[in-house]
Amino acid sequence: MARSAQDEISASGAFARTASTFRNFISQDPSSEFPAEAGRYHLYVSYSCPWSSRCLAYLKIKGLEKAISFTSVKSIWERTKQSDEHMGWVFPASDTEQQGAEPDPLNGAKSIRELYELASTNYTGKYTVPVLWDKKLKTIVSNESAEIIRMFNSEFNDIAGSPDLDLYPPHLQAKIDETNEWIYDGINNGVYKCGFARKQGHYDEAVTKLYEALDKCEDILGKQRYICGDTLSETDIRLFVTLIRFDEVYVVHFKCNKKLLCEYPNLFNYMKDIYQIPGMSSTVKMEHIKQNYYGCQPSINPVGIIPIGPNIDYSSPHDRNRFSA
């Protein structure tokens, strides 16, 4: 059983991500097993992880910080148990150990692994973030980011600071679902297929699909402000978390170097547009991102050297205001 992304390599040498395990859903229905209640749930994340970052982005832009608390782990993996060799997400011993990371305030866990073992004594899967934790039942509600963001979008509107912001509106749902599919396959997961490929043919196939998808996004964004039209949607948040890591990490670390993101004028300005949405910039900690990718994947970067650049200014002006919002 795979314990991290580095273990998810098929017999043919291709990267094959396994599905998340905890798939419960929080509901507005007060009679449900997991009802939407202020103060009941806690989100465990890593600032370095794109899947975590999409959930944290929703927490911020939906105005859910007062209703749902969150904690970030450290960026560098460490041993999670002395009895085996597993390396994974750990909490700092104090809130001064690494800026942005904090000790577990609920269970006193030393690692994300401990949370999974608290929730299920027989668990044998990956110890991944994000983790949406139920303080009342002391268990994991979900570790599937795609479903967590849907919960945050709709189920907490009675207590959200921005209840009118709907990133998955009914009239766009079919378009969002269709677009998410090819962006996930080609870009979100595509960069991992490039980076973890163990054979040239698998890399060639993945990198070709990646740049076809990026080219498609560039073309779309030359005609409209956002990927699915003139309004911000779920698809934009899902795409953003990969784009923000592209030139800083994926170009070098995952060998996605055919073309830099900054060479795509529409995509690059679009990325800055999303970054400058109130609340979004606080979800991006580039030090955490670079330390984790370059420092915790020895099969790709054995000595853990972290490149110095490119240090992009994401708060610089963009040109997306030329489209109506």
Side-chain angles (χ1 to χ4, degrees), residues 22 76 96 130 136 145-146 168 232 236 251 269 294-295 307:
F22 292 88
I76 299 293
T96 60
K136 183 177 181 179
S145 64
Y168 191 60
L232 184 75
D236 299 301
V251 166
N269 280 282
Y294 289 114

Side-chain angles (χ1 to χ4, degrees), residues 6-200:
Q6 297 178 80
D7 303 322
E8 298 177 299
I9 309 300
S10 70
S12 69
F15 176 70
R17 189 181 298 278
T18 54
S20 300
T21 305
F22 292 88
R23 308 291 287 270
N24 301 299
F25 205 88
I26 295 171
S27 171
Q28 289 183 330
D29 182 353
S31 66
S32 67
E33 182 180 7
F34 299 101
E37 299 174 359
R40 176 166 174 169
Y41 302 100
H42 189 84
L43 182 67
Y44 291 101
V45 301
S46 165
Y47 282 107
S48 60
C49 167
W51 320 107
S52 286
S53 294
R54 55 164 71 161
C55 298
L56 191 54
Y58 265 71
L59 199 70
K60 297 290 186 177
I61 65 177
K62 283 289 294 185
L64 290 169
E65 302 101 310
K66 293 181 180 179
I68 303 169
S69 50
F70 78 93
T71 301
S72 174
V73 294
K74 292 165 63 175
S75 58
I76 299 293
W77 288 353
E78 296 177 11
R79 288 272 294 276
T80 57
K81 268 190 177 181
Q82 294 304 310
S83 57
D84 61 40
E85 299 300 314
H86 177 258
M87 300 287 286
W89 304 112
V90 298
F91 296 96
S94 72
D95 57 12
T96 60
E97 188 174 333
Q98 183 180 17
Q99 191 273 328
E102 298 175 321
D104 175 21
L106 302 180
N107 304 290
K110 304 301 182 186
S111 68
I112 290 294
R113 177 179 182 172
E114 287 186 32
L115 298 177
Y116 278 83
E117 293 174 346
L118 279 172
S120 174
T121 55
N122 299 318
Y123 185 74
T124 58
K126 297 186 296 179
Y127 306 118
T128 59
V129 284
V131 167
L132 184 57
W133 183 265
D134 183 341
K135 301 177 189 178
K136 183 177 181 179
L137 299 182
K138 298 186 184 304
T139 193
I140 296 173
V141 179
S142 178
N143 66 342
E144 174 48 64
S145 64
E147 294 169 5
I148 293 173
I149 62 175
R150 294 271 172 98
M151 299 179 218
F152 287 179
N153 182 64
S154 62
E155 302 308 305
F156 290 88
N157 280 339
D158 289 345
I159 49 179
S162 301
D164 295 331
L165 176 64
D166 188 356
L167 300 173
Y168 191 60
H171 72 284
L172 279 180
Q173 288 178 4
K175 178 67 173 177
I176 289 170
D177 291 343
E178 183 268 330
T179 309
N180 283 349
E181 186 173 347
W182 62 260
I183 285 180
Y184 172 80
D185 185 49
I187 300 175
N188 300 138
N189 200 41
V191 293
Y192 286 86
K193 291 179 185 178
C194 295
F196 288 114
R198 291 294 175 267
K199 292 187 177 179
Q200 187 69 45

Side-chain angles (χ1 to χ4, degrees), residues 13-15 184-214 246 254-256 258:
F15 176 70
Y184 172 80
D185 185 49
I187 300 175
N188 300 138
N189 200 41
V191 293
Y192 286 86
K193 291 179 185 178
C194 295
F196 288 114
R198 291 294 175 267
K199 292 187 177 179
Q200 187 69 45
H202 293 308
Y203 166 78
D204 291 343
E205 179 181 352
V207 79
T208 297
K209 184 176 286 187
L210 166 65
Y211 280 96
E212 287 174 349
L214 288 173
F246 200 86
F254 282 170
K255 306 177 185 68
C256 303
K258 179 182 177 183

